[in-house]
Amino acid sequence: EAQVTQNPRYLITVTGKKLTVTCSQNMNHEYMSWYRQDPGLGLRQIYYSMNVEVTDKGDVPEGYKVSRKEKRNFPLILESPSPNQTSLYFCASSPDTGTGKFTEAFFGQGTRLTVV
Amino acid sequence: DAKTTQPTSMDCAEGRAANLPCNHSTISGNEYVYWYRQIHSQGPQYIIHGLKNNETNEMASLIITEDRKSSTLILPHATLRDTAVYYCIVRSLAISAGGTSYGKLTFGQGTILTVHP
């Protein structure tokens, strides 16, 4: 089954303790991205990757890191989490149709992170 | 990306057609209209997209006006499981140009559709 898998689904952590949220897709998609969703602010893009070893900042990258060593994986790293990073996080992937364009995005089920 | 305007909420009776409007008066010629939905904090789900012709798939139909300034998503026979937030997004198909990520999806507040028995 084609899917984007995030882990963990729920996480409560303390301020300053490094954590990683994993994201894996089995559709051989080139484009992957991370969003966070907060009440009243909607979904905002954190980082994106157009292919292996190619990453770039989205709208709200501060406090986050990503890597894209393999095509299927795009982990989100919080080196020193703070309470303002408490949010619902989504990973998404999209295929490149071969002309630098893409159509639909597939989203993971989300990771609810609480930083205390 | 062009800005979109959607009603905050709508109701629909189960089994009836749900017609969700979207205004995008500043849409440019190379921008497509996309619809996604999000069911109660799950990951957003792609529904349909189109440029200027009406489109239909197994989930919904998309009607785009001739001037492309507005569109309507139609769920032909709404069920309780269609209760969700529906997002209308306009964007180019291009992944990037000049360092800008067109791959980014800009979600507004969407329309809360409630399907009732």
Short mmCIF file of all heavy atoms in Angstrom, two decimals, chain A residues 31 35 37 40-43 45 48 50 56 59 88 90 95-96 100-110 112, chain B residues 34 36 38 41-46 49 87 91-96 99-109:
data_model
loop_
_atom_site.label_atom_id
_atom_site.label_comp_id
_atom_site.label_asym_id
_atom_site.label_seq_id
_atom_site.Cartn_x
_atom_site.Cartn_y
_atom_site.Cartn_z
N TYR A 31 10.00 14.56 -4.09
CA TYR A 31 9.77 15.73 -3.24
C TYR A 31 9.18 15.31 -1.91
O TYR A 31 8.17 14.59 -1.86
CB TYR A 31 8.80 16.67 -3.96
CG TYR A 31 8.62 18.03 -3.32
CD1 TYR A 31 9.39 19.11 -3.72
CD2 TYR A 31 7.67 18.22 -2.32
CE1 TYR A 31 9.21 20.37 -3.14
CE2 TYR A 31 7.49 19.46 -1.75
CZ TYR A 31 8.27 20.53 -2.15
OH TYR A 31 8.10 21.76 -1.58
N TYR A 35 5.49 19.84 7.54
CA TYR A 35 4.60 20.92 7.93
C TYR A 35 4.32 20.82 9.42
O TYR A 35 4.35 19.74 9.99
CB TYR A 35 3.25 20.83 7.20
CG TYR A 35 3.30 21.08 5.71
CD1 TYR A 35 3.69 20.08 4.82
CD2 TYR A 35 2.93 22.31 5.18
CE1 TYR A 35 3.71 20.31 3.45
CE2 TYR A 35 2.95 22.55 3.82
CZ TYR A 35 3.35 21.54 2.96
OH TYR A 35 3.37 21.77 1.61
N GLN A 37 1.18 22.17 12.14
CA GLN A 37 -0.17 22.71 12.15
C GLN A 37 -0.50 23.18 13.55
O GLN A 37 -0.43 22.42 14.52
CB GLN A 37 -1.19 21.67 11.70
CG GLN A 37 -2.60 22.21 11.58
CD GLN A 37 -3.55 21.22 10.95
OE1 GLN A 37 -3.39 20.01 11.06
NE2 GLN A 37 -4.57 21.73 10.26
N GLY A 40 -5.44 28.15 14.43
CA GLY A 40 -5.50 29.52 13.95
C GLY A 40 -4.42 29.89 12.94
O GLY A 40 -4.49 30.94 12.31
N LEU A 41 -3.41 29.04 12.79
CA LEU A 41 -2.30 29.34 11.87
C LEU A 41 -2.28 28.41 10.68
O LEU A 41 -1.49 28.61 9.75
CB LEU A 41 -0.97 29.27 12.62
CG LEU A 41 -0.79 30.28 13.75
CD1 LEU A 41 0.53 30.03 14.47
CD2 LEU A 41 -0.83 31.71 13.20
N GLY A 42 -3.05 27.37 10.71
CA GLY A 42 -3.09 26.44 9.59
C GLY A 42 -1.82 25.62 9.50
O GLY A 42 -1.04 25.51 10.45
N LEU A 43 -1.58 25.06 8.33
CA LEU A 43 -0.37 24.27 8.08
C LEU A 43 0.70 25.17 7.48
O LEU A 43 0.45 25.91 6.53
CB LEU A 43 -0.66 23.13 7.10
CG LEU A 43 -1.43 21.95 7.68
CD1 LEU A 43 -2.83 21.91 7.13
CD2 LEU A 43 -0.70 20.65 7.34
N GLN A 45 4.84 25.24 6.13
CA GLN A 45 5.93 24.38 5.73
C GLN A 45 7.21 24.69 6.52
O GLN A 45 7.60 25.86 6.64
CB GLN A 45 6.20 24.53 4.23
CG GLN A 45 7.12 23.45 3.68
CD GLN A 45 7.44 23.65 2.20
OE1 GLN A 45 7.93 24.70 1.80
NE2 GLN A 45 7.16 22.65 1.38
N TYR A 48 11.78 21.45 3.14
CA TYR A 48 11.43 20.57 2.04
C TYR A 48 12.70 20.03 1.39
O TYR A 48 13.79 20.55 1.61
CB TYR A 48 10.54 21.28 1.02
CG TYR A 48 11.22 22.40 0.26
CD1 TYR A 48 11.80 22.20 -0.99
CD2 TYR A 48 11.24 23.70 0.79
CE1 TYR A 48 12.39 23.23 -1.69
CE2 TYR A 48 11.84 24.74 0.10
CZ TYR A 48 12.41 24.51 -1.14
OH TYR A 48 13.00 25.54 -1.83
N MET A 50 13.93 18.41 -2.48
CA MET A 50 13.56 18.10 -3.85
C MET A 50 14.15 16.77 -4.32
O MET A 50 13.72 16.23 -5.33
CB MET A 50 13.96 19.23 -4.78
CG MET A 50 13.18 20.50 -4.50
SD MET A 50 13.60 21.83 -5.61
CE MET A 50 13.10 21.12 -7.17
N ASP A 56 15.94 22.41 1.69
CA ASP A 56 15.86 23.86 1.79
C ASP A 56 14.79 24.27 2.79
O ASP A 56 13.91 23.47 3.13
CB ASP A 56 15.58 24.50 0.44
CG ASP A 56 16.17 25.90 0.32
OD1 ASP A 56 16.52 26.49 1.37
OD2 ASP A 56 16.29 26.41 -0.80
N ASP A 59 8.79 27.97 5.41
CA ASP A 59 8.39 29.23 6.02
C ASP A 59 8.80 29.37 7.49
O ASP A 59 9.00 30.47 7.97
CB ASP A 59 6.86 29.38 5.93
CG ASP A 59 6.41 29.53 4.50
OD1 ASP A 59 7.14 30.14 3.70
OD2 ASP A 59 5.31 29.03 4.17
N LEU A 88 1.30 19.85 15.93
CA LEU A 88 0.99 18.64 15.16
C LEU A 88 1.81 18.71 13.88
O LEU A 88 1.71 19.68 13.13
CB LEU A 88 -0.51 18.59 14.85
CG LEU A 88 -1.03 17.40 14.04
CD1 LEU A 88 -0.72 16.08 14.72
CD2 LEU A 88 -2.54 17.55 13.82
N PHE A 90 3.26 17.13 10.21
CA PHE A 90 2.94 16.25 9.09
C PHE A 90 4.10 16.21 8.11
O PHE A 90 4.67 17.23 7.75
CB PHE A 90 1.70 16.74 8.34
CG PHE A 90 0.43 16.61 9.11
CD1 PHE A 90 -0.16 17.73 9.68
CD2 PHE A 90 -0.18 15.38 9.26
CE1 PHE A 90 -1.33 17.61 10.41
CE2 PHE A 90 -1.37 15.26 9.97
CZ PHE A 90 -1.94 16.38 10.55
N PRO A 95 5.27 13.08 -6.12
CA PRO A 95 6.08 12.60 -7.23
C PRO A 95 6.44 13.73 -8.17
O PRO A 95 5.68 14.69 -8.35
CB PRO A 95 5.13 11.62 -7.94
CG PRO A 95 3.78 12.19 -7.68
CD PRO A 95 3.85 12.82 -6.31
N ASP A 96 7.59 13.62 -8.79
CA ASP A 96 7.96 14.52 -9.87
C ASP A 96 7.50 13.83 -11.15
O ASP A 96 7.90 12.70 -11.41
CB ASP A 96 9.48 14.72 -9.87
CG ASP A 96 9.93 15.70 -10.94
OD1 ASP A 96 9.22 15.86 -11.95
OD2 ASP A 96 10.99 16.28 -10.76
N GLY A 100 9.75 18.40 -13.74
CA GLY A 100 9.89 19.38 -12.66
C GLY A 100 8.57 19.83 -12.11
O GLY A 100 8.47 20.85 -11.45
N LYS A 101 7.52 19.08 -12.36
CA LYS A 101 6.22 19.45 -11.86
C LYS A 101 5.63 18.30 -11.05
O LYS A 101 6.04 17.16 -11.20
CB LYS A 101 5.27 19.74 -13.03
CG LYS A 101 5.77 20.83 -13.96
CD LYS A 101 4.74 21.14 -15.02
CE LYS A 101 5.25 22.05 -16.13
NZ LYS A 101 6.09 23.14 -15.70
N PHE A 102 4.72 18.60 -10.19
CA PHE A 102 4.05 17.52 -9.49
C PHE A 102 2.60 17.89 -9.27
O PHE A 102 2.21 19.03 -9.38
CB PHE A 102 4.75 17.19 -8.17
CG PHE A 102 4.46 18.19 -7.07
CD1 PHE A 102 3.43 17.95 -6.18
CD2 PHE A 102 5.23 19.31 -6.90
CE1 PHE A 102 3.17 18.84 -5.15
CE2 PHE A 102 4.96 20.21 -5.89
CZ PHE A 102 3.93 19.97 -5.00
N THR A 103 1.82 16.91 -8.96
CA THR A 103 0.39 17.13 -8.79
C THR A 103 -0.02 16.95 -7.34
O THR A 103 -0.09 17.90 -6.59
CB THR A 103 -0.41 16.20 -9.70
OG1 THR A 103 -0.01 14.84 -9.46
CG2 THR A 103 -0.17 16.54 -11.16
N GLU A 104 -0.25 15.73 -6.92
CA GLU A 104 -0.80 15.56 -5.59
C GLU A 104 0.27 15.26 -4.55
O GLU A 104 1.32 14.70 -4.87
CB GLU A 104 -1.83 14.44 -5.58
CG GLU A 104 -1.24 13.08 -5.93
CD GLU A 104 -2.33 12.05 -6.19
OE1 GLU A 104 -2.88 11.54 -5.19
OE2 GLU A 104 -2.61 11.78 -7.35
N ALA A 105 -0.02 15.66 -3.33
CA ALA A 105 0.84 15.37 -2.20
C ALA A 105 0.18 14.32 -1.32
O ALA A 105 -1.03 14.32 -1.14
CB ALA A 105 1.10 16.64 -1.39
N PHE A 106 1.00 13.42 -0.80
CA PHE A 106 0.53 12.38 0.11
C PHE A 106 1.06 12.72 1.50
O PHE A 106 2.26 12.93 1.67
CB PHE A 106 1.05 11.01 -0.31
CG PHE A 106 0.52 10.55 -1.63
CD1 PHE A 106 1.07 11.01 -2.82
CD2 PHE A 106 -0.53 9.64 -1.71
CE1 PHE A 106 0.59 10.59 -4.06
CE2 PHE A 106 -1.01 9.20 -2.93
CZ PHE A 106 -0.46 9.69 -4.11
N PHE A 107 0.17 12.75 2.46
CA PHE A 107 0.55 13.13 3.81
C PHE A 107 0.57 11.92 4.75
O PHE A 107 -0.22 10.98 4.60
CB PHE A 107 -0.44 14.16 4.37
CG PHE A 107 -0.26 15.53 3.83
CD1 PHE A 107 -0.73 15.88 2.57
CD2 PHE A 107 0.41 16.50 4.57
CE1 PHE A 107 -0.56 17.15 2.06
CE2 PHE A 107 0.59 17.79 4.07
CZ PHE A 107 0.11 18.11 2.82
N GLY A 108 1.48 12.00 5.73
CA GLY A 108 1.47 11.02 6.80
C GLY A 108 0.33 11.31 7.76
O GLY A 108 -0.40 12.29 7.62
N GLN A 109 0.20 10.45 8.77
CA GLN A 109 -0.91 10.57 9.70
C GLN A 109 -0.65 11.58 10.81
O GLN A 109 -1.54 11.88 11.60
CB GLN A 109 -1.23 9.21 10.30
CG GLN A 109 -1.93 8.30 9.31
CD GLN A 109 -3.20 8.93 8.78
OE1 GLN A 109 -4.14 9.21 9.49
NE2 GLN A 109 -3.23 9.18 7.47
N GLY A 110 0.54 12.10 10.87
CA GLY A 110 0.81 13.16 11.83
C GLY A 110 1.52 12.67 13.09
O GLY A 110 1.40 11.51 13.49
N ARG A 112 1.92 14.14 16.99
CA ARG A 112 1.53 15.18 17.95
C ARG A 112 2.63 15.28 18.99
O ARG A 112 2.84 14.36 19.78
CB ARG A 112 0.20 14.86 18.60
CG ARG A 112 -0.34 16.01 19.45
CD ARG A 112 -1.77 15.80 19.87
NE ARG A 112 -2.72 15.88 18.77
CZ ARG A 112 -3.16 17.01 18.22
NH1 ARG A 112 -2.73 18.17 18.67
NH2 ARG A 112 -4.05 16.98 17.25
N TYR B 34 -6.52 23.29 -6.57
CA TYR B 34 -6.44 22.01 -5.86
C TYR B 34 -7.43 21.99 -4.71
O TYR B 34 -7.70 23.01 -4.09
CB TYR B 34 -5.04 21.81 -5.23
CG TYR B 34 -3.92 21.50 -6.17
CD1 TYR B 34 -3.35 22.49 -6.97
CD2 TYR B 34 -3.42 20.21 -6.26
CE1 TYR B 34 -2.30 22.19 -7.82
CE2 TYR B 34 -2.37 19.91 -7.11
CZ TYR B 34 -1.81 20.91 -7.89
OH TYR B 34 -0.78 20.61 -8.73
N TYR B 36 -8.01 19.76 -1.10
CA TYR B 36 -7.61 18.76 -0.12
C TYR B 36 -8.64 18.78 1.00
O TYR B 36 -9.37 19.75 1.19
CB TYR B 36 -6.24 19.09 0.49
CG TYR B 36 -5.06 18.75 -0.37
CD1 TYR B 36 -4.70 19.57 -1.44
CD2 TYR B 36 -4.29 17.60 -0.13
CE1 TYR B 36 -3.61 19.25 -2.24
CE2 TYR B 36 -3.21 17.29 -0.92
CZ TYR B 36 -2.87 18.12 -1.97
OH TYR B 36 -1.80 17.80 -2.75
N GLN B 38 -9.15 17.48 5.33
CA GLN B 38 -8.49 16.97 6.52
C GLN B 38 -9.59 16.54 7.50
O GLN B 38 -10.41 17.36 7.93
CB GLN B 38 -7.60 18.03 7.17
CG GLN B 38 -6.78 17.51 8.33
CD GLN B 38 -5.82 18.54 8.86
OE1 GLN B 38 -6.02 19.74 8.72
NE2 GLN B 38 -4.76 18.06 9.51
N SER B 41 -7.77 16.13 12.33
CA SER B 41 -6.36 16.06 12.71
C SER B 41 -5.60 14.91 12.04
O SER B 41 -4.45 14.65 12.39
CB SER B 41 -6.20 15.96 14.23
OG SER B 41 -6.67 17.13 14.83
N GLN B 42 -6.21 14.24 11.08
CA GLN B 42 -5.45 13.30 10.28
C GLN B 42 -4.66 14.08 9.23
O GLN B 42 -4.85 15.28 9.06
CB GLN B 42 -6.38 12.31 9.57
CG GLN B 42 -7.13 11.39 10.51
CD GLN B 42 -8.03 10.44 9.74
OE1 GLN B 42 -7.86 10.22 8.54
NE2 GLN B 42 -9.02 9.89 10.42
N GLY B 43 -3.79 13.41 8.50
CA GLY B 43 -3.07 14.08 7.43
C GLY B 43 -4.00 14.53 6.32
O GLY B 43 -4.95 13.83 6.00
N PRO B 44 -3.77 15.70 5.75
CA PRO B 44 -4.61 16.15 4.63
C PRO B 44 -4.62 15.11 3.51
O PRO B 44 -3.63 14.42 3.26
CB PRO B 44 -3.93 17.45 4.18
CG PRO B 44 -3.24 17.95 5.41
CD PRO B 44 -2.77 16.72 6.12
N GLN B 45 -5.74 15.04 2.83
CA GLN B 45 -5.93 14.07 1.75
C GLN B 45 -6.24 14.81 0.47
O GLN B 45 -7.14 15.65 0.42
CB GLN B 45 -7.09 13.14 2.12
CG GLN B 45 -7.43 12.12 1.05
CD GLN B 45 -8.72 11.36 1.38
OE1 GLN B 45 -9.58 11.85 2.12
NE2 GLN B 45 -8.86 10.18 0.80
N TYR B 46 -5.50 14.49 -0.57
CA TYR B 46 -5.75 15.08 -1.89
C TYR B 46 -7.10 14.62 -2.42
O TYR B 46 -7.46 13.45 -2.29
CB TYR B 46 -4.64 14.66 -2.84
CG TYR B 46 -4.92 14.91 -4.30
CD1 TYR B 46 -4.68 16.15 -4.89
CD2 TYR B 46 -5.43 13.89 -5.11
CE1 TYR B 46 -4.93 16.36 -6.22
CE2 TYR B 46 -5.68 14.09 -6.45
CZ TYR B 46 -5.43 15.33 -7.00
OH TYR B 46 -5.69 15.54 -8.33
N HIS B 49 -7.75 18.16 -8.66
CA HIS B 49 -7.22 19.43 -9.11
C HIS B 49 -7.59 19.66 -10.57
O HIS B 49 -7.93 18.71 -11.30
CB HIS B 49 -5.71 19.52 -8.91
CG HIS B 49 -4.89 18.78 -9.93
ND1 HIS B 49 -4.74 17.42 -9.89
CD2 HIS B 49 -4.19 19.22 -11.00
CE1 HIS B 49 -3.96 17.03 -10.89
NE2 HIS B 49 -3.61 18.09 -11.59
N TYR B 87 -10.01 22.26 1.99
CA TYR B 87 -9.13 23.35 1.63
C TYR B 87 -9.06 23.51 0.11
O TYR B 87 -8.83 22.55 -0.62
CB TYR B 87 -7.71 23.09 2.13
CG TYR B 87 -7.56 22.99 3.63
CD1 TYR B 87 -7.52 21.74 4.24
CD2 TYR B 87 -7.45 24.12 4.41
CE1 TYR B 87 -7.36 21.64 5.62
CE2 TYR B 87 -7.29 24.04 5.79
CZ TYR B 87 -7.25 22.79 6.38
OH TYR B 87 -7.10 22.69 7.73
N ARG B 91 -2.15 27.01 -7.03
CA ARG B 91 -0.71 27.03 -7.15
C ARG B 91 -0.27 26.56 -8.51
O ARG B 91 -1.01 25.88 -9.22
CB ARG B 91 -0.05 26.17 -6.07
CG ARG B 91 -0.49 24.75 -6.06
CD ARG B 91 0.34 23.95 -5.07
NE ARG B 91 1.73 23.94 -5.43
CZ ARG B 91 2.26 23.19 -6.40
NH1 ARG B 91 1.49 22.37 -7.10
NH2 ARG B 91 3.54 23.25 -6.66
N SER B 92 0.96 26.89 -8.82
CA SER B 92 1.57 26.40 -10.04
C SER B 92 1.95 24.94 -9.86
O SER B 92 2.14 24.46 -8.76
CB SER B 92 2.81 27.23 -10.35
OG SER B 92 3.69 26.55 -11.19
N LEU B 93 2.08 24.21 -10.98
CA LEU B 93 2.54 22.83 -10.90
C LEU B 93 4.04 22.75 -10.65
O LEU B 93 4.54 21.75 -10.19
CB LEU B 93 2.24 22.08 -12.19
CG LEU B 93 0.85 21.48 -12.40
CD1 LEU B 93 0.86 20.58 -13.62
CD2 LEU B 93 0.39 20.69 -11.19
N ALA B 94 4.77 23.81 -10.99
CA ALA B 94 6.22 23.75 -10.92
C ALA B 94 6.68 23.53 -9.50
O ALA B 94 6.13 24.09 -8.57
CB ALA B 94 6.83 25.03 -11.48
N ILE B 95 7.72 22.73 -9.36
CA ILE B 95 8.25 22.46 -8.03
C ILE B 95 8.98 23.68 -7.49
O ILE B 95 8.82 24.06 -6.35
CB ILE B 95 9.16 21.23 -8.04
CG1 ILE B 95 8.33 19.97 -8.22
CG2 ILE B 95 9.98 21.16 -6.76
CD1 ILE B 95 9.13 18.70 -8.18
N SER B 96 9.78 24.31 -8.35
CA SER B 96 10.49 25.49 -7.87
C SER B 96 10.94 26.34 -9.03
O SER B 96 11.05 25.87 -10.15
CB SER B 96 11.69 25.10 -7.02
OG SER B 96 12.70 24.57 -7.82
N GLY B 99 14.58 29.55 -6.71
CA GLY B 99 14.74 29.30 -5.29
C GLY B 99 13.45 29.28 -4.51
O GLY B 99 13.44 29.02 -3.31
N THR B 100 12.34 29.53 -5.15
CA THR B 100 11.06 29.50 -4.44
C THR B 100 10.45 28.11 -4.54
O THR B 100 10.43 27.52 -5.61
CB THR B 100 10.08 30.51 -5.07
OG1 THR B 100 10.62 31.81 -4.94
CG2 THR B 100 8.73 30.47 -4.37
N SER B 101 9.99 27.62 -3.42
CA SER B 101 9.39 26.29 -3.42
C SER B 101 7.93 26.37 -3.82
O SER B 101 7.06 26.68 -3.02
CB SER B 101 9.48 25.65 -2.04
OG SER B 101 8.71 24.45 -1.99
N TYR B 102 7.66 26.12 -5.09
CA TYR B 102 6.26 26.04 -5.51
C TYR B 102 5.65 24.73 -5.05
O TYR B 102 4.45 24.54 -5.15
CB TYR B 102 6.15 26.18 -7.02
CG TYR B 102 6.45 27.56 -7.56
CD1 TYR B 102 6.71 27.75 -8.89
CD2 TYR B 102 6.48 28.66 -6.72
CE1 TYR B 102 7.00 29.00 -9.39
CE2 TYR B 102 6.76 29.90 -7.20
CZ TYR B 102 7.03 30.08 -8.54
OH TYR B 102 7.32 31.31 -9.04
N GLY B 103 6.50 23.83 -4.60
CA GLY B 103 5.97 22.59 -4.06
C GLY B 103 5.22 22.80 -2.77
O GLY B 103 4.46 21.94 -2.33
N LYS B 104 5.41 23.94 -2.15
CA LYS B 104 4.73 24.24 -0.90
C LYS B 104 3.24 24.40 -1.16
O LYS B 104 2.82 25.04 -2.12
CB LYS B 104 5.28 25.54 -0.30
CG LYS B 104 4.56 25.99 0.96
CD LYS B 104 5.18 27.26 1.49
CE LYS B 104 5.01 28.41 0.52
NZ LYS B 104 5.54 29.68 1.09
N LEU B 105 2.47 23.78 -0.29
CA LEU B 105 1.02 23.96 -0.33
C LEU B 105 0.65 24.97 0.74
O LEU B 105 0.97 24.78 1.91
CB LEU B 105 0.32 22.63 -0.08
CG LEU B 105 0.49 21.58 -1.18
CD1 LEU B 105 0.07 20.21 -0.69
CD2 LEU B 105 -0.31 21.98 -2.41
N THR B 106 0.00 26.04 0.35
CA THR B 106 -0.41 27.06 1.31
C THR B 106 -1.87 26.82 1.69
O THR B 106 -2.78 27.10 0.90
CB THR B 106 -0.23 28.46 0.71
OG1 THR B 106 1.15 28.64 0.36
CG2 THR B 106 -0.65 29.52 1.71
N PHE B 107 -2.06 26.27 2.88
CA PHE B 107 -3.41 25.98 3.37
C PHE B 107 -3.98 27.19 4.09
O PHE B 107 -3.36 27.73 4.98
CB PHE B 107 -3.36 24.80 4.34
CG PHE B 107 -3.05 23.47 3.71
CD1 PHE B 107 -1.74 23.10 3.46
CD2 PHE B 107 -4.06 22.59 3.37
CE1 PHE B 107 -1.44 21.87 2.88
CE2 PHE B 107 -3.78 21.36 2.80
CZ PHE B 107 -2.47 21.00 2.55
N GLY B 108 -5.16 27.61 3.68
CA GLY B 108 -5.87 28.64 4.42
C GLY B 108 -6.64 28.02 5.56
O GLY B 108 -6.25 26.97 6.08
N GLN B 109 -7.72 28.66 5.95
CA GLN B 109 -8.53 28.14 7.06
C GLN B 109 -9.53 27.08 6.60
O GLN B 109 -10.03 26.30 7.39
CB GLN B 109 -9.26 29.28 7.76
CG GLN B 109 -8.32 30.27 8.44
CD GLN B 109 -7.38 29.59 9.41
OE1 GLN B 109 -7.79 28.84 10.30
NE2 GLN B 109 -6.08 29.80 9.23
#
